[in-house]
Amino acid sequence: QVQLVESGGGLVQAGGSLRLSCVASGSIFRFNAMGWYRQAPGKQRELVAVIFSGGNTYYADSVKGRFTISRDNAKNTPYLQMNSLKPDDTGVYYCHVQIPPNYWGQGTQVTVSS
């Protein structure tokens, strides 16, 4: 059983940066994909960025050019560098790893003030 814990969220002004990290309680030796999702108040959870086992990445259009996903090669957990943050980026950010099965973290709050 793998448990994921996110960190790095917080309150930042528009234009600022944050870096999200995800730590796994167990070892992840292989995976299909890992990434970050977010959920804004009153909205559905949406994919922000994903990195596949082969190294390819995918970003939501709304974050392209501002966010960068990377992974810890030793621990197989993802990071998310977020630059030029906007108020629309506000939400709870969740770490996700698909081995399979799918594992989710509890989320970390990101609040961007205007």
Side-chain angles (χ1 to χ4, degrees), residues 25-26 29 63 67-68 74 76-77 85-86 92 98 101 104 107-108 114:
S25 61
F29 299 105
V63 307
F67 291 11
T68 302
N76 280 330
T77 53
L85 283 161
K86 304 175 180 180
V92 179
Q98 182 195 67
W104 293 91
T108 185
S114 58

Side-chain angles (χ1 to χ4, degrees), residues 6-24:
E6 303 92 339
S7 63
L11 173 63
V12 65
Q13 288 188 333
S17 298
L18 288 172
R19 186 173 188 251
L20 304 183
S21 300
C22 179
V23 175

Side-chain angles (χ1 to χ4, degrees), residues 38 46-49 58-67 86 89:
R38 69 185 179 191
E46 63 175 356
L47 174 64
V48 175
Y58 169 85
Y59 295 92
D61 287 343
S62 59
V63 307
K64 281 181 182 177
R66 301 188 296 121
F67 291 11
K86 304 175 180 180
D89 295 318

